[in-house]
Amino acid sequence: MLRSGLVTCQSLQLSSCLADLGDLIMGSTIAKCAVADLGIQWAGWVLAAVFKTEKFYDLAGSGTFILLAHLSRLWGGGGFLRQNVQTGLVTAWGLRLGTFLFMRILKDGQDRRFNNVRDSPGTFFVYWTIQAVWVFVTLLPTLMLNSEKRNTPLGTRDYIGWTLWGVGFATEAIADQQKWIFKRDTNNVGKFIQSGLWAYSRHPNYFGEILQWSGLWLSASSAMQGPQYLSVVSPLFVWFLLRHISGIPILERQALKKWGSDPGFQDYLKNTPVLWPWPKF
């Protein structure tokens, strides 16, 4: 009887601990943001699958970045200057890029990435789920920062990080605008851009993107401790995704298919770095 009672007591204690752990996890800001992220993307998938459209895919992604940045700041409850600046920079990034991509797809009518996807709900679901992972991993340093109750004084890493973000933001915005203007010029039909920032990198917009998230991680790291530094996976993930998965490889294949036999394009490939720019003298 005594042994049975002890086992029962231990089981109750274990159940209580597990329940407390579950409450802690689900009550954390980061966990709630992860659930919200998945919910938004899956709701977007339902609408996209019903209407067989990808036109609001990128807009939903950038909008989720903005929403989660603000929710994490509200749920985190700190409201410190670093958190406010971080949230503001994520918002500026999301508003600019989301608006640009939405306007571009409205003009183009479709996104070639989805040519074999929009009619397949299952494949579409994978794309929307991958977007949820992209949002969460990329935003992880901001979510960690906004969950902090400690207020660490601003320091060198903050100012360097914000400077990197500013350079990256300007680089991406200028590169996007230069390509937009180039493509709208009827004299450039069938040509490839190699002027402006595109003379120093074949993908200067992606270079700017990587700089921005690197800068945001650097600033956020000022308030990090121990395992939180592992959130450096954010800028590394952005770099890997753009360099090896969904960005540069796809665009490079399309460019080679279109201009591969053009001597001018071959010269451009030979003398212009794929991502990291260097000045030409």
Side-chain angles (χ1 to χ4, degrees):
M1 268 314 270
L2 180 60
R3 183 177 180 181
S4 176
L6 287 173
V7 171
T8 301
C9 182
Q10 290 173 346
S11 298
L12 289 173
Q13 289 176 342
L14 178 60
S15 298
S16 177
C17 288
L18 290 174
D20 290 343
L21 179 61
D23 291 339
L24 178 63
I25 293 173
M26 293 311 298
S28 74
T29 297
I30 295 176
K32 288 190 289 187
C33 285
V35 172
D37 178 24
L38 276 175
I40 293 168
Q41 304 313 313
W42 287 348
W45 162 71
V46 171
L47 292 174
V50 169
F51 293 102
K52 296 183 178 181
T53 180
E54 73 280 11
K55 288 186 177 179
F56 59 90
Y57 179 81
D58 289 319
L59 189 63
S62 57
T64 305
F65 272 94
I66 296 172
L67 179 62
L68 294 187
H70 284 273
L71 286 178
S72 64
R73 187 172 62 89
L74 291 173
W75 291 337
F80 305 126
L81 178 59
R82 181 184 291 105
Q83 296 171 338
N84 293 337
V85 172
Q86 186 93 354
T87 301
L89 296 182
V90 171
T91 301
W93 169 88
L95 287 174
R96 191 211 69 82
L97 186 59
T99 302
F100 172 78
L101 293 176
F102 186 61
M103 294 299 294
R104 187 178 69 180
I105 198 170
L106 288 181
K107 177 182 178 295
D108 295 343
Q110 63 177 8
D111 188 330
R112 286 176 293 182
R113 292 176 299 171
F114 296 88
N115 283 347
N116 300 316
V117 174
R118 65 179 67 89
D119 293 324
S120 173
T123 308
F124 227 171
F125 177 77
V126 173
Y127 272 62
W128 281 90
T129 302
I130 290 174
Q131 177 157 266
V133 174
W134 167 61
V135 171
F136 183 78
V137 174
T138 305
L139 199 58
L140 189 57
T142 300
L143 300 180
M144 286 184 172
L145 173 64
N146 285 351
S147 301
E148 276 295 330
K149 302 293 185 181
R150 298 176 297 104
N151 185 18
T152 306
L154 297 182
T156 303
R157 273 187 282 179
D158 295 292
Y159 301 121
I160 294 176
W162 294 339
T163 300
L164 281 177
W165 182 91
V167 173
F169 184 85
T171 299
E172 185 175 38
I174 292 170
D176 284 340
Q177 190 64 21
Q178 287 175 341
K179 192 169 186 179
W180 176 271
I181 294 172
F182 179 86
K183 293 178 69 174
R184 290 184 63 185
D185 188 342
T186 56
N187 294 322
N188 295 325
V189 175
K191 299 179 181 179
F192 61 92
I193 185 171
Q194 53 181 324
S195 57
L197 295 178
W198 300 84
Y200 305 100
S201 167
R202 302 206 297 271
H203 302 278
N205 52 337
Y206 291 159
F207 171 68
E209 180 81 357
I210 295 168
L211 276 186
Q212 287 175 85
W213 293 109
S214 298
L216 289 178
W217 176 81
L218 186 60
S219 174
S221 71
S222 298
M224 290 180 184
Q225 293 179 330
Q228 289 180 326
Y229 285 106
L230 294 176
S231 63
V232 72
V233 68
S234 167
L236 293 176
F237 177 72
V238 171
W239 164 77
F240 183 78
L241 194 65
L242 293 177
R243 182 63 184 86
H244 297 288
I245 306 295
S246 69
I248 291 174
I250 295 174
L251 293 176
E252 291 281 301
R253 283 196 299 268
Q254 292 173 350
L256 282 172
K257 185 177 180 180
K258 194 170 185 179
W259 300 295
S261 59
D262 184 338
F265 185 70
Q266 293 175 8
D267 184 67
Y268 180 64
L269 291 180
K270 181 179 179 181
N271 297 294
T272 310
V274 63
L275 179 62
W276 310 108
W278 63 63
K280 292 185 177 182
F281 301 99

